[in-house]
């Protein structure tokens, strides 16, 4: 029985909480919870149930009061409080600490919403606290005089499980911890209904953005507070170093100032040789100062801060010289100067090889230039190479003293070249070049053959490798049928079989300053097995006929030759027989007087 009763009570409590939440979602109050003293605020009551008539109640004891007054505010209006026709809008024309407390808006006896109002005030006379918008809350600015002394108070009604704090937004630093090293004194005091802060002799650099945080009845309210301390401008500029090929730069002047200053730029062209240091610059070597037109300025978009930056965009670079920035406000003026250097290069010195542009070979003549900027160096430069020193006078080219040195490389001991510049302050600055010397090698084909037949089957692709090497490394150029392949780069080309590749010729040419080498590929199309099976019968028959015809012709020719030989032998035998017959008819005494030729032939034959 007891357990059942407990469950019933728990269900009723949960139901009550759910109903309260549901009612709160049906009606609510919009408007600032933390307001700036003497500002105008408006609180609007809205209900999603369609009610248009509302009653407002006020309690100075906070939202934890047992009950609100029975009579609404409309029955006993404050002189500074007004309502619209239906009572939905409550307007306080000049809020102060008397308005601090809890406000309740009701559409019915049971449909109500509540909120608590807190007020922030500058309690010292010179300082001024103002909201940044017409709603009187959310963001505020505290203007402090240049002595940096001010007092700030937060008025509140009794809190229900609440806390009030004031801390810097950046890093969540507590208020007095922020001013401990930026002011002579900072105190925090908490009394009934008031949290008060006092600061003495803070500097302008102590200006910062803070947050007023109030936790009440598990609800967090926040106001952003910009504390700006007036002061004379503090300006700074960076030194400008631009390259001679840069036509425009952005001039910038930054610093701290409050109120926002008026900034003016001036530019004074000077001879580069007179611009070693700003403190020692020779003013008689400078021209008349030029005031940069004001319409070119662009103020940086910093709101509610003592930080400022003024930029002159795309200002044309004419000559080296002096750029100055002057910032002025009601607290005073300050200015700063900086140098504008126009350089050939970023570094004070530059030491480089002009030629050869690839690698240094034995027996090369190396063209080296050494440069030192005219602002910091004299025109005296010294070259140390191969155990010897050469003192040279530099020629001014642009904004640098320049010398040229020719070094003939014959052995490894000449691989280091040092250029020494004479600084105007009496010191010497060295720049060293370490030459990587290599043995020369003309471009050549690494593989055995410089002409290759490449067979490609239908649907296949091959990669041609141009194995031409040398020192310095040759540049590779590809050709197809004597046409330059501009898309082909490097040592490889991929070839796929198509109509355009039939009997194509590829060449790669490797060139360097020592010569050139060429490798050639001839593309041969491989016949497919399918074509051989279908068309091979006709081709085979043709070949067979050719072979048979050849054999038949050979046999016939042999037979004719054999017959001719037999005929010749028959004729010869018959001729001999005739001669023998004729000899037989000649007397013996006359046989030795026959012709010599016939006699010798006969003797030889016998």
């Amino acid at each position: 029985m007891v357990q059942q009763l407990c469950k019933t009570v728990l269900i009723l409590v949960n139901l009550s909480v759910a109903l309260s939440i549901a009612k709160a979602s049906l009606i609510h109050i919009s408007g600032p919870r933390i307001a700036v003293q003497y500002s105008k605020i408006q609180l609007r009551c809205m209900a999603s149930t369609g009610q248009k008539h509302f009653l407002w109640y006020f309690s100075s004891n906070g939202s934890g009061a047992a009950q609100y007054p029975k009579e609404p505010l409309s029955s006993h209006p404050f002189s500074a409080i007004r309502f619209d026709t239906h009572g939905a809008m409550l307007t306080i024309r000049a809020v102060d600490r008397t308005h601090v407390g809890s406000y309740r808006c009701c559409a019915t006896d049971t449909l109500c919403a509540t909120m608590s109002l807190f007020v922030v005030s500058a309690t010292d006379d010179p300082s001024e606290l103002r909201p940044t918008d017409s709603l009187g809350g959310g963001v505020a600015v505290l203007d402090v005089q240049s002595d940096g002394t001010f007092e700030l108070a937060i008025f509140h009604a009794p809190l229900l499980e609440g806390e009030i704090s004031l801390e810097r937004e950046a890093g969540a630093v507590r208020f007095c911890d922020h001013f401990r090293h930026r002011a002579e004194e900072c105190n925090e005091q908490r009394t009934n209904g008031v949290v008060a802060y006092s600061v003495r002799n803070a500097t302008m650099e102590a200006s910062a953005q803070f947050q007023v945080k109030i936790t009440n009845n598990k609800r967090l309210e926040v106001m952003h507070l910009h504390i700006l301390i007036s002061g004379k401008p503090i300006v700074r500029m960076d030194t400008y170093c631009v390259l001679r090929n840069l036509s425009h730069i952005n001039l910038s002047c930054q610093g701290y100032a409050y109120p926002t200053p008026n900034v003016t730029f001036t530019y004074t062209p000077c001879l580069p040789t007179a611009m070693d240091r700003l403190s020692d610059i020779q003013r008689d070597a400078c021209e008349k100062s030029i005031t940069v037109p004001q319409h070119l300025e662009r103020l940086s978009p910093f709101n509610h801060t003592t930080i400022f930056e003024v930029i002159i965009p795309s200002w044309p670079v004419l000559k080296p010289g002096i750029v100055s920035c002057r910032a002025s406000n009601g607290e005073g003026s300050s200015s700063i100067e900086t140098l504008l250097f126009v350089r050939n290069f970023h570094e004070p010195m530059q030491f480089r090889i002009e030629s050869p542009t690839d690698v240094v070979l034995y027996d090369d003549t190396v063209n080296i230039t050494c440069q030192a900027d005219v602002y910091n160096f004299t025109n005296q430069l010294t070259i140390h190479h191969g155990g010897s020193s050469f003192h040279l006078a530099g020629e001014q080219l642009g904004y640098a003293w320049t010398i040229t040195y020719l070094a003939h490389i014959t052995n490894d001991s000449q691989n280091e070249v040092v250029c020494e510049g004479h600084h105007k302050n009496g010191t010497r600055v060295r720049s060293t070049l370490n030459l990587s010397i290599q043995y020369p090698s003309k471009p050549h084909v690494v593989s055995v053959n410089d002409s290759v037949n490449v067979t490609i089957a239908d649907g296949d692709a091959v990669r041609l490798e141009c194995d031409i090497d040398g020192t310095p490394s040759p540049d590779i150029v590809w050709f197809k049928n004597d046409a330059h392949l501009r898309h082909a780069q490097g040592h490889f080309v991929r070839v796929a079989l198509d109509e355009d590749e039939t009997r194509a010729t590829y060449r790669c040419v490797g060139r360097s300053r020592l010569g050139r080498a060429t490798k050639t590929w001839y593309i041969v199309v491989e016949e497919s097995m399918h074509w051989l099976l279908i068309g091979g019968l006709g081709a085979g028959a043709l070949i067979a006929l050719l072979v048979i015809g050849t054999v038949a012709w050979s046999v016939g020719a042999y037979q004719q030759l054999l017959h001719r030989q037999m005929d010749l032998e028959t004729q010869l035998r018959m001729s001999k027989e005739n001669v023998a017959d004729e000899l037989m008819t000649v007397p013996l005494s006359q046989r030795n007087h026959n012709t010599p030729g016939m006699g010798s032939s006969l003797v030889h034959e016998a």
Side-chain angles (χ1 to χ4, degrees), residues 333-402:
S333 301
S334 60
S335 60
I336 190 172
E337 291 181 338
T338 189
L339 293 177
L340 170 64
F341 294 105
V342 182
R343 299 182 182 271
N344 292 8
F345 38 82
H346 289 292
E347 302 81 10
M349 290 183 65
Q350 187 178 80
F351 195 24
R352 67 181 184 184
I353 299 175
E354 299 295 337
S355 65
T357 57
D358 39 28
V359 296
V360 178
L361 305 175
Y362 287 100
D363 205 34
D364 267 348
T365 297
V366 183
N367 184 3
I368 302 173
T369 59
C370 182
Q371 294 181 301
D373 72 65
V374 297
Y375 304 104
N376 300 305
F377 292 86
T378 69
N379 67 339
Q380 297 301 308
L381 297 168
T382 302
I383 294 292
H384 303 281
H385 181 229
S388 302
S389 297
F390 307 92
H391 302 283
L392 305 172
E395 177 186 1
Q396 183 174 347
L397 296 178
Y399 301 96
W401 302 114
T402 304

Side-chain angles (χ1 to χ4, degrees), residues 165-167 169 209-213 222-225:
S165 65
L166 179 59
E167 59 186 34
E169 287 195 2
Q209 182 173 334
F210 298 84
Q211 284 184 338
V212 179
K213 293 184 177 180
V222 178
M223 169 185 275
H224 300 279
L225 177 62

Side-chain angles (χ1 to χ4, degrees), residues 136-158:
V139 181
V141 175
L142 176 63
D143 289 330
V144 180
Q145 290 191 344
S146 58
D147 61 0
T149 299
F150 63 95
E151 295 178 355
L152 190 67
I154 304 171
F155 301 107
H156 63 91

Side-chain angles (χ1 to χ4, degrees), residues 554-604:
S554 300
V555 172
Y558 176 74
Q559 290 177 349
Q560 292 179 3
L561 181 62
L562 185 59
H563 289 308
R564 290 184 62 186
Q565 184 176 0
M566 293 175 62
D567 292 341
L568 289 174
E569 290 179 353
T570 301
Q571 293 176 6
L572 180 59
R573 186 173 60 253
M574 293 176 63
S575 176
K576 287 181 179 182
E577 292 176 353
N578 293 333
V579 171
D581 291 341
E582 291 177 359
L583 288 175
M584 292 300 294
T585 60
V586 176
L588 291 174
S589 60
Q590 298 179 1
R591 290 182 185 180
N592 293 332
H593 300 283
N594 291 328
T595 60
M598 181 63 72
S600 62
S601 176
L602 291 174
V603 172
H604 181 267

Side-chain angles (χ1 to χ4, degrees), residues 234-250:
I234 300 174
V235 296
R236 66 179 181 86
M237 293 182 73
D238 297 326
T239 299
Y240 297 97
C241 292
V242 299
L243 297 181
R244 60 185 298 185
N245 58 354
L246 190 65
S247 60
H248 293 77
I249 62 170
N250 292 336

Side-chain angles (χ1 to χ4, degrees), residues 172-423:
V173 179
R174 296 187 67 86
F175 185 80
C176 280
D177 290 341
H178 168 79
F179 283 99
R180 180 167 287 113
H181 302 293
R182 299 173 176 87
E184 290 185 3
E185 182 182 353
C186 180
N187 295 313
E188 177 182 337
Q189 186 176 6
R190 294 176 181 264
T191 58
N192 186 23
V194 181
V195 178
Y197 300 90
S198 62
V199 178
R200 298 288 180 269
N201 299 327
T203 61
M204 179 178 60
E205 292 86 339
S207 303
Q209 182 173 334
F210 298 84
Q211 284 184 338
V212 179
K213 293 184 177 180
I214 301 176
T215 304
N216 184 37
N217 197 17
K218 299 181 180 180
R219 179 187 176 108
L220 175 64
E221 308 294 349
V222 178
M223 169 185 275
H224 300 279
L225 177 62
H226 302 271
I227 298 180
L228 304 178
I229 303 173
S230 299
K232 178 182 175 180
I234 300 174
V235 296
R236 66 179 181 86
M237 293 182 73
D238 297 326
T239 299
Y240 297 97
C241 292
V242 299
L243 297 181
R244 60 185 298 185
N245 58 354
L246 190 65
S247 60
H248 293 77
I249 62 170
N250 292 336
L251 298 181
S252 174
C253 181
Q254 312 95 19
Y256 295 91
Y258 190 75
T260 302
N262 179 38
V263 178
T264 304
F265 286 88
T266 57
Y267 160 69
T268 307
C270 299
L271 290 176
T273 53
M275 291 176 55
D276 52 345
R277 287 184 299 180
L278 184 61
S279 58
D280 300 333
I281 196 167
Q282 303 173 20
R283 299 288 173 167
D284 56 351
C286 299
E287 302 176 15
K288 185 178 179 181
S289 297
I290 302 171
T291 301
V292 178
Q294 294 292 317
H295 69 274
L296 294 178
E297 295 181 3
R298 185 179 71 216
L299 189 65
S300 60
F302 293 138
N303 295 323
H304 314 306
T305 178
T306 57
I307 301 174
F308 74 90
E309 180 181 18
V310 178
I311 301 173
I312 298 182
S314 298
W315 184 73
V317 179
L318 303 177
K319 300 177 181 178
I322 303 172
V323 178
S324 64
C325 166
R326 181 178 179 85
S328 304
N329 64 7
E331 302 297 330
S333 301
S334 60
S335 60
I336 190 172
E337 291 181 338
T338 189
L339 293 177
L340 170 64
F341 294 105
V342 182
R343 299 182 182 271
N344 292 8
F345 38 82
H346 289 292
E347 302 81 10
M349 290 183 65
Q350 187 178 80
F351 195 24
R352 67 181 184 184
I353 299 175
E354 299 295 337
S355 65
T357 57
D358 39 28
V359 296
V360 178
L361 305 175
Y362 287 100
D363 205 34
D364 267 348
T365 297
V366 183
N367 184 3
I368 302 173
T369 59
C370 182
Q371 294 181 301
D373 72 65
V374 297
Y375 304 104
N376 300 305
F377 292 86
T378 69
N379 67 339
Q380 297 301 308
L381 297 168
T382 302
I383 294 292
H384 303 281
H385 181 229
S388 302
S389 297
F390 307 92
H391 302 283
L392 305 172
E395 177 186 1
Q396 183 174 347
L397 296 178
Y399 301 96
W401 302 114
T402 304
I403 61 171
T404 300
Y405 175 71
L406 299 178
H408 186 68
I409 307 300
T410 58
N411 55 67
D412 289 336
S413 63
Q414 299 174 317
N415 65 335
E416 183 179 274
V417 186
V418 177
C419 180
E420 186 177 72
H422 298 247
H423 201 280

